[in-house]
Amino acid sequence: MDVVLTDLDGVVYRGRNAIPHAVESLTRASLGARVGYITNNASRRPVDVAEHLEAFGLEVAADDVVTSSQAGVRLLSTLVPAGSTVLVTGGLGLTSIVEEAGFTVTNSAEDSPAAVIQGFSPDLGWKELAEASFALADPDVPWVATNMDWSIPVERGIAPGNGTLVSAVHQAVGRMPVVAGKPERPIFDAALARFGGAHPLFIGDRLDTDIKGANDAGIPSVLVLTGIDQAKQVLAADPKSRPTFILGDLRGLSTPYPVTVRREDEDGTRYVTVGDSTVAMRGHVVRVLDDGDDLDRLRAGATIIWESGLAIYGLDVDPKLYGGE
């Protein structure tokens, strides 16, 4: 891989703390590949994200960061002429990017904006959402959302994300925006255009945004189990959300990935072995035969379930595969 693209929250850090092994692993990866950081967070400028990562010990410049604001403005430029007046519903992390792209920023529908672009800001209120709704009453005015994340992790817990604010405008205007952030393609296209490379790899911790988005963009994907999704979600992943690789933490970036061995008995029982872990499946019953390593057991179990073509809710799955009893 010559380009490593990575999500942030759940992969590099969690709250105020770096995730164990993430900083040293990404530093090691940067010796042989370009490392780029991708975030759906539209409230922060790339320079702010870079400074945050540098505080953990990573060497990061603003140009190493692709935000959903940047992807959104790149998308916006395909919808309206250069220099157009654009109503921005968001904070500095979005407004600054729109201005840098040469658009004229307004916060009032009375200025007859050519388009509306919406991103998250904790300071957004009814007045700002109403102005967006007034502008979007004209069906010919394009509407771009930086992302549709329904929730965001904050210091005190989980809070409503940009998707909830976009939904408020949607309820008023009766239509949906085009979306730039994960899992949609524009943010991945923006990253590939920025970093180049012939063999990219994307790392994330969420199947529904990170992995699905990478798969849709044709980029090999890594699910790292340091964030949101864990074994249960992996086993139940739909075909569009299945990662190419599964890692326990980012140390796995620099270690050989284990070979998957498959075989089948005459009675139709299938076996998948990864490392010292073997999982068998006959009919709808999935059982662990050789425990081995927790991670290899999950890899084997996921492979045999995914390749069965059967829905997870119709299977009798050994609880050892997901930490149950």
PDB file of all heavy atoms in Angstrom, residues 29 48 63 90 121 142 151 161 172 192 205 209 216-217 252-253 257 261 264 268 301-303 320:
ATOM      1  N   ALA A  29       3.961   3.457   9.647  1.00  0.00           N
ATOM      2  CA  ALA A  29       3.364   3.358   8.320  1.00  0.00           C
ATOM      3  C   ALA A  29       3.808   4.500   7.415  1.00  0.00           C
ATOM      4  O   ALA A  29       3.983   4.323   6.204  1.00  0.00           O
ATOM      5  CB  ALA A  29       1.843   3.338   8.430  1.00  0.00           C
ATOM      6  N   ASP A  48      -6.703  22.877  12.450  1.00  0.00           N
ATOM      7  CA  ASP A  48      -7.090  22.529  13.820  1.00  0.00           C
ATOM      8  C   ASP A  48      -6.960  21.026  14.050  1.00  0.00           C
ATOM      9  O   ASP A  48      -6.499  20.591  15.113  1.00  0.00           O
ATOM     10  CB  ASP A  48      -8.528  22.967  14.097  1.00  0.00           C
ATOM     11  CG  ASP A  48      -8.724  24.465  13.947  1.00  0.00           C
ATOM     12  OD1 ASP A  48      -7.801  25.218  14.291  1.00  0.00           O
ATOM     13  OD2 ASP A  48      -9.810  24.871  13.476  1.00  0.00           O
ATOM     14  N   ASP A  63      -2.249  19.911   5.216  1.00  0.00           N
ATOM     15  CA  ASP A  63      -2.473  19.293   3.910  1.00  0.00           C
ATOM     16  C   ASP A  63      -2.644  17.779   4.007  1.00  0.00           C
ATOM     17  O   ASP A  63      -3.046  17.132   3.039  1.00  0.00           O
ATOM     18  CB  ASP A  63      -1.317  19.622   2.963  1.00  0.00           C
ATOM     19  CG  ASP A  63      -1.649  19.318   1.515  1.00  0.00           C
ATOM     20  OD1 ASP A  63      -2.715  19.756   1.049  1.00  0.00           O
ATOM     21  OD2 ASP A  63      -0.848  18.621   0.842  1.00  0.00           O
ATOM     22  N   GLY A  90     -23.362  26.604   9.073  1.00  0.00           N
ATOM     23  CA  GLY A  90     -22.290  25.893   9.756  1.00  0.00           C
ATOM     24  C   GLY A  90     -21.365  26.875  10.441  1.00  0.00           C
ATOM     25  O   GLY A  90     -21.647  28.077  10.489  1.00  0.00           O
ATOM     26  N   SER A 121     -22.219  22.617  13.444  1.00  0.00           N
ATOM     27  CA  SER A 121     -21.629  23.558  14.388  1.00  0.00           C
ATOM     28  C   SER A 121     -22.463  23.498  15.660  1.00  0.00           C
ATOM     29  O   SER A 121     -23.699  23.498  15.582  1.00  0.00           O
ATOM     30  CB  SER A 121     -21.618  24.990  13.851  1.00  0.00           C
ATOM     31  OG  SER A 121     -21.269  25.905  14.883  1.00  0.00           O
ATOM     32  N   PRO A 142     -29.255  24.216  -5.341  1.00  0.00           N
ATOM     33  CA  PRO A 142     -28.633  22.977  -4.859  1.00  0.00           C
ATOM     34  C   PRO A 142     -28.366  23.045  -3.361  1.00  0.00           C
ATOM     35  O   PRO A 142     -28.110  24.121  -2.798  1.00  0.00           O
ATOM     36  CB  PRO A 142     -27.311  22.910  -5.643  1.00  0.00           C
ATOM     37  CG  PRO A 142     -27.477  23.843  -6.789  1.00  0.00           C
ATOM     38  CD  PRO A 142     -28.405  24.918  -6.319  1.00  0.00           C
ATOM     39  N   SER A 151     -25.063  11.028  15.078  1.00  0.00           N
ATOM     40  CA  SER A 151     -24.579  11.308  16.435  1.00  0.00           C
ATOM     41  C   SER A 151     -23.096  11.617  16.397  1.00  0.00           C
ATOM     42  O   SER A 151     -22.391  11.258  15.453  1.00  0.00           O
ATOM     43  CB  SER A 151     -24.828  10.107  17.356  1.00  0.00           C
ATOM     44  OG  SER A 151     -24.133   8.958  16.888  1.00  0.00           O
ATOM     45  N   GLY A 161     -25.811  14.744  15.907  1.00  0.00           N
ATOM     46  CA  GLY A 161     -24.846  15.156  14.904  1.00  0.00           C
ATOM     47  C   GLY A 161     -25.489  15.938  13.773  1.00  0.00           C
ATOM     48  O   GLY A 161     -26.670  16.324  13.835  1.00  0.00           O
ATOM     49  N   ALA A 172     -38.687  20.646   6.642  1.00  0.00           N
ATOM     50  CA  ALA A 172     -39.287  21.923   6.241  1.00  0.00           C
ATOM     51  C   ALA A 172     -39.400  22.060   4.726  1.00  0.00           C
ATOM     52  O   ALA A 172     -40.365  22.656   4.229  1.00  0.00           O
ATOM     53  CB  ALA A 172     -38.462  23.075   6.806  1.00  0.00           C
ATOM     54  N   LEU A 192      -8.314  10.776  -2.565  1.00  0.00           N
ATOM     55  CA  LEU A 192      -7.491  10.164  -3.611  1.00  0.00           C
ATOM     56  C   LEU A 192      -6.915  11.216  -4.542  1.00  0.00           C
ATOM     57  O   LEU A 192      -5.770  11.097  -4.998  1.00  0.00           O
ATOM     58  CB  LEU A 192      -8.320   9.145  -4.389  1.00  0.00           C
ATOM     59  CG  LEU A 192      -8.764   7.903  -3.601  1.00  0.00           C
ATOM     60  CD1 LEU A 192      -9.662   7.022  -4.463  1.00  0.00           C
ATOM     61  CD2 LEU A 192      -7.558   7.110  -3.107  1.00  0.00           C
ATOM     62  N   ASP A 205     -13.365   2.460  11.998  1.00  0.00           N
ATOM     63  CA  ASP A 205     -13.888   1.665  13.106  1.00  0.00           C
ATOM     64  C   ASP A 205     -15.386   1.437  13.010  1.00  0.00           C
ATOM     65  O   ASP A 205     -15.968   0.783  13.867  1.00  0.00           O
ATOM     66  CB  ASP A 205     -13.572   2.353  14.451  1.00  0.00           C
ATOM     67  CG  ASP A 205     -14.386   3.628  14.647  1.00  0.00           C
ATOM     68  OD1 ASP A 205     -14.365   4.500  13.753  1.00  0.00           O
ATOM     69  OD2 ASP A 205     -15.051   3.745  15.695  1.00  0.00           O
ATOM     70  N   THR A 209     -20.270   3.474   7.916  1.00  0.00           N
ATOM     71  CA  THR A 209     -19.752   4.689   7.275  1.00  0.00           C
ATOM     72  C   THR A 209     -18.367   4.452   6.684  1.00  0.00           C
ATOM     73  O   THR A 209     -18.159   4.598   5.482  1.00  0.00           O
ATOM     74  CB  THR A 209     -19.691   5.860   8.272  1.00  0.00           C
ATOM     75  OG1 THR A 209     -18.945   5.462   9.430  1.00  0.00           O
ATOM     76  CG2 THR A 209     -21.079   6.276   8.693  1.00  0.00           C
ATOM     77  N   ASP A 216     -17.483   1.182  -1.435  1.00  0.00           N
ATOM     78  CA  ASP A 216     -18.161   1.823  -2.561  1.00  0.00           C
ATOM     79  C   ASP A 216     -17.180   2.589  -3.445  1.00  0.00           C
ATOM     80  O   ASP A 216     -17.400   2.727  -4.654  1.00  0.00           O
ATOM     81  CB  ASP A 216     -19.246   2.781  -2.054  1.00  0.00           C
ATOM     82  CG  ASP A 216     -20.460   2.051  -1.493  1.00  0.00           C
ATOM     83  OD1 ASP A 216     -20.565   0.824  -1.701  1.00  0.00           O
ATOM     84  OD2 ASP A 216     -21.293   2.712  -0.838  1.00  0.00           O
ATOM     85  N   ALA A 217     -16.107   3.080  -2.828  1.00  0.00           N
ATOM     86  CA  ALA A 217     -15.088   3.818  -3.585  1.00  0.00           C
ATOM     87  C   ALA A 217     -14.037   2.896  -4.197  1.00  0.00           C
ATOM     88  O   ALA A 217     -13.122   3.371  -4.878  1.00  0.00           O
ATOM     89  CB  ALA A 217     -14.409   4.841  -2.678  1.00  0.00           C
ATOM     90  N   GLY A 252      -1.311  -4.184  13.826  1.00  0.00           N
ATOM     91  CA  GLY A 252      -1.510  -5.144  12.747  1.00  0.00           C
ATOM     92  C   GLY A 252      -1.134  -4.620  11.376  1.00  0.00           C
ATOM     93  O   GLY A 252      -0.981  -5.406  10.433  1.00  0.00           O
ATOM     94  N   LEU A 253      -0.967  -3.302  11.228  1.00  0.00           N
ATOM     95  CA  LEU A 253      -0.559  -2.750   9.941  1.00  0.00           C
ATOM     96  C   LEU A 253       0.819  -3.240   9.512  1.00  0.00           C
ATOM     97  O   LEU A 253       1.111  -3.324   8.315  1.00  0.00           O
ATOM     98  CB  LEU A 253      -0.556  -1.214   9.997  1.00  0.00           C
ATOM     99  CG  LEU A 253      -1.907  -0.511  10.091  1.00  0.00           C
ATOM    100  CD1 LEU A 253      -1.696   0.987  10.255  1.00  0.00           C
ATOM    101  CD2 LEU A 253      -2.761  -0.807   8.861  1.00  0.00           C
ATOM    102  N   TYR A 257      -0.632 -10.504   7.407  1.00  0.00           N
ATOM    103  CA  TYR A 257      -2.020 -10.899   7.636  1.00  0.00           C
ATOM    104  C   TYR A 257      -2.125 -12.405   7.447  1.00  0.00           C
ATOM    105  O   TYR A 257      -1.601 -12.961   6.477  1.00  0.00           O
ATOM    106  CB  TYR A 257      -2.949 -10.178   6.667  1.00  0.00           C
ATOM    107  CG  TYR A 257      -4.380 -10.118   7.144  1.00  0.00           C
ATOM    108  CD1 TYR A 257      -4.755  -9.246   8.156  1.00  0.00           C
ATOM    109  CD2 TYR A 257      -5.360 -10.941   6.586  1.00  0.00           C
ATOM    110  CE1 TYR A 257      -6.058  -9.182   8.611  1.00  0.00           C
ATOM    111  CE2 TYR A 257      -6.678 -10.878   7.026  1.00  0.00           C
ATOM    112  CZ  TYR A 257      -7.014 -10.000   8.044  1.00  0.00           C
ATOM    113  OH  TYR A 257      -8.317  -9.950   8.493  1.00  0.00           O
ATOM    114  N   VAL A 261      -7.704 -20.546   5.229  1.00  0.00           N
ATOM    115  CA  VAL A 261      -7.738 -21.873   4.593  1.00  0.00           C
ATOM    116  C   VAL A 261      -9.166 -22.415   4.665  1.00  0.00           C
ATOM    117  O   VAL A 261      -9.772 -22.443   5.748  1.00  0.00           O
ATOM    118  CB  VAL A 261      -6.768 -22.848   5.286  1.00  0.00           C
ATOM    119  CG1 VAL A 261      -6.839 -24.228   4.632  1.00  0.00           C
ATOM    120  CG2 VAL A 261      -5.346 -22.303   5.248  1.00  0.00           C
ATOM    121  N   GLU A 264     -14.053 -28.468   2.656  1.00  0.00           N
ATOM    122  CA  GLU A 264     -15.426 -28.915   2.799  1.00  0.00           C
ATOM    123  C   GLU A 264     -15.484 -30.434   2.792  1.00  0.00           C
ATOM    124  O   GLU A 264     -14.826 -31.089   1.964  1.00  0.00           O
ATOM    125  CB  GLU A 264     -16.293 -28.358   1.669  1.00  0.00           C
ATOM    126  CG  GLU A 264     -17.768 -28.698   1.802  1.00  0.00           C
ATOM    127  CD  GLU A 264     -18.628 -27.965   0.784  1.00  0.00           C
ATOM    128  OE1 GLU A 264     -18.140 -26.973   0.190  1.00  0.00           O
ATOM    129  OE2 GLU A 264     -19.792 -28.377   0.577  1.00  0.00           O
ATOM    130  N   GLY A 268     -21.095 -31.851   3.340  1.00  0.00           N
ATOM    131  CA  GLY A 268     -21.428 -30.442   3.186  1.00  0.00           C
ATOM    132  C   GLY A 268     -20.936 -29.544   4.297  1.00  0.00           C
ATOM    133  O   GLY A 268     -21.113 -28.322   4.232  1.00  0.00           O
ATOM    134  N   GLY A 301     -14.665 -16.980  11.680  1.00  0.00           N
ATOM    135  CA  GLY A 301     -16.115 -16.994  11.807  1.00  0.00           C
ATOM    136  C   GLY A 301     -16.796 -16.066  10.820  1.00  0.00           C
ATOM    137  O   GLY A 301     -17.811 -16.407  10.211  1.00  0.00           O
ATOM    138  N   ALA A 302     -16.229 -14.866  10.659  1.00  0.00           N
ATOM    139  CA  ALA A 302     -16.806 -13.912   9.712  1.00  0.00           C
ATOM    140  C   ALA A 302     -16.741 -14.460   8.291  1.00  0.00           C
ATOM    141  O   ALA A 302     -17.712 -14.360   7.529  1.00  0.00           O
ATOM    142  CB  ALA A 302     -16.068 -12.578   9.806  1.00  0.00           C
ATOM    143  N   THR A 303     -15.618 -15.055   7.942  1.00  0.00           N
ATOM    144  CA  THR A 303     -15.464 -15.593   6.590  1.00  0.00           C
ATOM    145  C   THR A 303     -16.491 -16.675   6.301  1.00  0.00           C
ATOM    146  O   THR A 303     -17.153 -16.671   5.252  1.00  0.00           O
ATOM    147  CB  THR A 303     -14.042 -16.164   6.404  1.00  0.00           C
ATOM    148  OG1 THR A 303     -13.086 -15.104   6.559  1.00  0.00           O
ATOM    149  CG2 THR A 303     -13.879 -16.786   5.023  1.00  0.00           C
ATOM    150  N   LYS A 320     -18.885 -18.158  21.315  1.00  0.00           N
ATOM    151  CA  LYS A 320     -17.445 -17.891  21.404  1.00  0.00           C
ATOM    152  C   LYS A 320     -16.980 -16.919  20.342  1.00  0.00           C
ATOM    153  O   LYS A 320     -15.943 -16.264  20.504  1.00  0.00           O
ATOM    154  CB  LYS A 320     -16.667 -19.199  21.255  1.00  0.00           C
ATOM    155  CG  LYS A 320     -16.785 -20.176  22.423  1.00  0.00           C
ATOM    156  CD  LYS A 320     -15.948 -21.411  22.153  1.00  0.00           C
ATOM    157  CE  LYS A 320     -16.060 -22.418  23.308  1.00  0.00           C
ATOM    158  NZ  LYS A 320     -15.253 -23.634  23.017  1.00  0.00           N
TER     159      LYS A 320
END
